Amino acid sequence: MERAFQRTQVLTNHLLQSSSPLPSQTLSSNACLSYSPPELSENYAFDVKEMRKLIDGHNLEERDWLFGLMKQSELFNPKVKGGKVFVSPDYNQSMEQQREMTLKRIKYLQERGVFKGWLTEKGEEIEMRKFAGFEVFSIYDHSLFTKLGVHFPMWGGAIQFCGTKHHHDKWLRDTENYSIKGCFAMTELGHGSNIRSLETVTTYDSNTGEFVINTPCESAQKFWIGGAAKHATHTVVFSQLHINGINQGVHAFIVQIRDVDGNICPNIRIADCGHKIGLNGVDNGRIWFDNVRVPRENLLNSVADVTPDGKYLSSIKNPDQRFAAFMAPMTVGRVNIAIGAVYQSKVALAITIRYALTRRAFSLKPNEPEVLLLDYPSHQRRLFPLVAKTYAMSFAANYLKVLYAKRTPQSSKAIHIVSSSFKATFTWNNMQILQECREACGGQGLRTENRVGHLKGEYDVQSTFEGDNFLLMQLVSKALFAEYMAAQKRNKVFKGLGLEHMNKPCPVIPSQLTSTTLRCSQFQMDALCLRERDLLNRFVADVLKCKAKGENTEQAFNSCYELAKDLGRAFSERAIFQTFVEAESTLPAGSLKDVLGTLRSLYASICIEDVSFLRYGYLSVDNGANVRREITKLCNELRPHALALISSFGIPDAFLSPIAFNWIDTNSWSLV
């Protein structure tokens, strides 16, 4: 009771501002916190410009020029906070306002020559320039990135790759100049991933030389079509083509949906998909076709054609192969989504780690300063594995971009498999990173102006558009199954997709893993190859068992879906790690290589820490504990390089957020 009385007296004296409080119970305030830029205390042990060259990989001057274009225009919503200028969309605007701002930004960029050559020039150089542009757009705003992605790689890409010369001559320059605004009408209400079962139907009228496109039922309405609700003038419609009563499968047709004044064309109905959890700067719409007639020349005919008298022609007789050839060029959408996810991870980590280098919480001893968030081992354990993962994804993204830019007919299968694998892995990783960063920023992560929390809603869609991630992992596993069976049937070695390790003796994980072993790149590669190899063998065996019980191939694959997902992930992480090792091998000895080696070991360790290594018996419980301890050590070793690692992302300050800098001044009363 005496203790309770004393505490009550202290509080009473404090509230009444008594001049005679109890001497031993005086309440005193700490000195006010002040912001100290991390640059004053953090050192750069390696050249951040050289690291940026390594992880960005290409077109650095082009990127910086684009950043500058956006910073200097009022269209990109510059705001001064805490003495710094930040550019970010105003997400408090209505959906309609956000859409109009996205359109104005595209026109601004077009008028300054940003898109010059994007569709009218060919070659590796222009492809890499486009990728650099999309990476910059993804840093600023997902709506800008997506609306441009629909217009150029999807609408424009469909004409480029599925069309022929007369399509190119008629449509590409106007598309590049943005006098035509294109969209991509593939997805339907009833069919998203299963493109082969689309319900839109097209027939041919030989009397008029026209195709007739029809939406036969409500589930056949085109759904989620970016650009369709307000701005698009034309679309590529994916539809079943019926010729003389025979369904020849899915084909693509150019259809005008609005006239030059923006009015919807006859026999076309368009509705708005409405407000979304993100991407409200993109006008997603729904389209119905009521026996819409288009000229015969509007069939994109690189794979198949219809003669004036209504005869169907294709050099590819097998419908499966024809469908594959027709869809192969569309992989650029997955490539763009994958690389965009990497750059959003960079934005989130740059903001969160800068905040953690200046925000303090709790003292370890009385009268000592509070501790920086990033000096807590738990905070390091949360964030540094994600930094390592982002570096790994950067190298893998660079590999994927070059693979696509140098594509040949022979490499189309590899591009399809790798892009599917990386798209799923990168977007899953990105959502994990955004969530962890949101939490690591505490309450400040909830504020829209600080970007990290808001980006979760903006990027959530990436897990499902251009292919549901679970289905993509099944697709990858099916492809690996086919490679395995083909090698067995021909009695030949594995070649391609990085599967050459299957030709070598099976690696063995030592019974006792030491720190030296865990940091050895050869051990790391062996461990990842062992998992992929074993899961492929298990997957093949289980599928064949299911087939032996009478299931058909698709049923067997569905029965083995858990193994399929694990195998797809194992393939992806091994492939990503391989690109990391290759990037590291290009460096001479020195501090840059040393830091990259630590990051590589951390990435490998978090892959090996995955539950699959215990589930399938590759690691003992004791070795699993050794891996976990090693991760803690690696995180601690990366702590001195924290600022340098995120500065190497090359993201200008204006594209981060207020909490990445002077968050005290940003929140001062004078700015209310």
Side-chain angles (χ1 to χ4, degrees), residues 469-484:
N469 284 354
F470 278 93
L471 294 180
L472 290 180
M473 282 307 192
Q474 285 185 304
L475 181 153
V476 171
S477 296
K478 288 179 183 179
L480 296 177
F481 176 89
E483 290 293 308
Y484 186 103

Side-chain angles (χ1 to χ4, degrees), residues 4 20 44 47 60 69 122 193 229 254 273 483-484 532 545 550 562 600 609 648:
S20 57
Y44 289 177
D47 189 332
L60 269 66
L69 275 184
K122 296 180 179 179
S193 297
I254 295 173
C273 287
E483 290 293 308
Y484 186 103
E532 182 184 18
K545 282 180 186 175
E562 288 184 328
R600 183 248 308 147
E609 188 191 28
S648 299

Side-chain angles (χ1 to χ4, degrees), residues 79-86 653-654 661-662:
K79 299 286 184 185
V80 177
K81 292 278 188 176
K84 294 183 75 71
V85 176
F86 297 96
D653 292 355
F661 300 96
N662 193 335

Side-chain angles (χ1 to χ4, degrees), residues 515-527:
S515 180
T516 302
T517 303
L518 286 168
R519 297 185 187 217
C520 171
S521 60
Q522 186 59 58
F523 161 76
Q524 294 160 1
M525 181 64 80
D526 284 348

Side-chain angles (χ1 to χ4, degrees), residues 535-552:
L535 289 177
L536 179 52
N537 285 328
R538 288 174 186 258
F539 184 64
V540 170
D542 282 10
V543 169
L544 294 179
K545 282 180 186 175
C546 290
K547 292 181 72 173
K549 293 177 182 177
E551 295 183 11
N552 64 34

Side-chain angles (χ1 to χ4, degrees), residues 124-143:
E124 182 181 349
E125 182 180 341
I126 193 67
E127 294 287 1
M128 299 305 281
R129 185 154 66 88
K130 282 190 285 187
F131 284 136
F134 275 109
E135 287 163 345
V136 171
F137 301 144
S138 75
I139 287 171
Y140 175 73
D141 176 36
H142 196 207
S143 288

Side-chain angles (χ1 to χ4, degrees), residues 215-473:
T215 303
C217 53
E218 287 298 343
S219 59
Q221 63 181 272
K222 295 298 181 181
F223 210 103
W224 290 124
I225 311 307
K230 295 292 181 183
H231 300 143
T233 59
H234 294 73
T235 189
V236 172
V237 179
F238 289 79
S239 168
Q240 305 291 348
L241 175 58
H242 290 202
I243 299 294
N244 298 321
I246 299 173
N247 185 0
Q248 299 292 349
V250 174
H251 291 65
F253 304 85
I254 295 173
V255 179
Q256 184 170 355
I257 59 174
R258 285 186 177 87
D259 63 22
V260 292
D261 297 319
N263 301 308
I264 297 173
C265 292
N267 299 328
I268 291 174
R269 291 172 287 147
I270 296 177
D272 204 309
C273 287
H275 196 273
K276 309 179 289 287
I277 65 170
L279 273 184
N280 284 301
V282 176
D283 50 317
N284 293 90
R286 304 147 63 192
I287 312 175
W288 291 258
F289 303 95
D290 300 325
N291 294 316
V292 175
R293 289 178 172 266
V294 299
R296 186 179 67 88
E297 294 75 18
N298 283 24
L299 168 67
L300 296 178
N301 61 346
S302 65
V303 173
D305 206 351
V306 175
T307 63
D309 61 351
K311 190 177 295 183
Y312 183 80
L313 302 174
S314 178
S315 59
I316 305 175
K317 303 305 179 185
N318 184 295
D320 292 338
Q321 294 176 359
R322 191 162 63 229
F323 179 77
F326 190 68
M327 296 303 294
M330 300 298 101
T331 53
V332 66
R334 289 176 186 163
V335 176
N336 265 326
I337 290 168
I339 65 176
V342 176
Y343 278 81
Q344 271 314 302
S345 296
K346 291 179 180 180
V347 170
L349 284 165
I351 292 169
T352 304
I353 287 179
R354 287 192 67 92
Y355 184 57
L357 286 168
T358 62
R359 181 71 155 85
R360 296 177 179 272
F362 302 105
S363 303
L364 298 182
K365 295 179 181 178
N367 301 318
E368 284 192 352
E370 291 181 278
V371 178
L372 285 173
L373 294 184
L374 204 59
D375 285 338
Y376 283 103
S378 58
H379 217 68
Q380 296 170 16
R381 184 63 170 81
R382 295 176 78 174
L383 296 178
F384 285 130
L386 305 182
V387 174
K389 191 175 284 190
T390 301
Y391 268 77
M393 291 192 296
S394 296
F395 298 130
N398 288 338
Y399 164 78
L400 177 59
K401 287 180 286 187
V402 172
L403 183 66
Y404 181 83
K406 294 183 175 181
R407 64 191 176 280
T408 63
Q410 292 73 34
S411 66
S412 61
K413 180 174 72 173
I415 294 170
H416 181 53
I417 296 168
V418 174
S419 66
S420 298
S421 166
F422 285 4
K423 182 267 180 183
T425 302
F426 292 2
T427 56
W428 271 332
N429 287 348
N430 183 42
M431 290 309 296
Q432 176 206 6
I433 289 167
L434 290 174
Q435 179 64 34
E436 196 66 55
C437 287
R438 208 299 293 157
E439 294 181 26
C441 289
Q444 291 296 331
L446 292 175
R447 299 185 71 187
T448 303
E449 72 170 18
N450 290 329
R451 301 201 70 190
V452 177
H454 183 83
L455 291 175
K456 289 198 305 168
E458 287 290 313
Y459 277 83
D460 197 299
V461 66
Q462 290 196 333
S463 299
T464 50
F465 73 6
E466 285 299 308
D468 175 274
N469 284 354
F470 278 93
L471 294 180
L472 290 180
M473 282 307 192

